[in-house]
Amino acid sequence: AEEKLKTWHRLYTQKILYFVGPMMFVQTGLIAWQILGDPLAYLPDGVLLAGIWVNTFLIAIPIHEKIDREESLTGHLPNLLRVNQWRSWMWTGLFLISVGRVIW
């Protein structure tokens, strides 16, 4: 079972970049454009987005790389789940702020 998970993980990390990468860059461009127009109003968006980028590139990706390099997944999976939970909270917050801006 662990070998299947490792094989799946390698395929997942190779392919997810093609889906998530463009979305993150588009989102960054849109929020940068909004911040240029009204820095204080869009500061929360920028802070959450910065947190998402830091979490993704400085924390999550290195954990994924460790999982791909090492033989045991056990030590890294709890860390990855915790990191992904924080990133999910930040994306949810950013989404709710965006929805709130459209509704109000």
Side-chain angles (χ1 to χ4, degrees):
E2 187 170 324
E3 192 56 43
K4 284 183 181 181
L5 179 60
K6 285 167 50 174
T7 301
W8 172 85
H9 184 266
R10 276 188 217 101
L11 291 172
Y12 166 79
T13 55
Q14 290 170 358
K15 294 181 180 188
I16 194 70
L17 178 63
Y18 296 109
F19 178 71
V20 175
M23 288 193 321
M24 286 183 71
F25 281 106
V26 168
Q27 184 179 39
T28 300
L30 289 171
I31 291 175
W33 178 69
Q34 291 172 322
I35 289 172
L36 288 173
D38 192 349
L40 290 178
Y42 292 99
L43 182 63
D45 308 62
V47 168
L48 284 170
L49 185 62
I52 291 166
W53 276 82
V54 166
N55 179 297
T56 299
F57 290 97
L58 298 181
I59 303 170
I61 289 176
I63 293 172
H64 280 291
E65 289 171 347
K66 287 178 184 176
I67 289 172
D68 283 341
R69 281 194 314 263
E70 295 184 17
E71 294 187 16
S72 174
L73 301 174
T74 311
H76 299 297
L77 288 180
N79 292 337
L80 186 59
L81 291 173
R82 189 171 27 261
V83 165
N84 284 341
Q85 181 180 27
W86 279 103
R87 190 169 37 195
S88 296
W89 283 112
M90 288 185 282
W91 255 320
T92 300
L94 189 54
F95 172 76
L96 292 174
I97 289 171
S98 299
V99 168
R101 291 184 199 285
V102 170
I103 292 174
W104 293 285

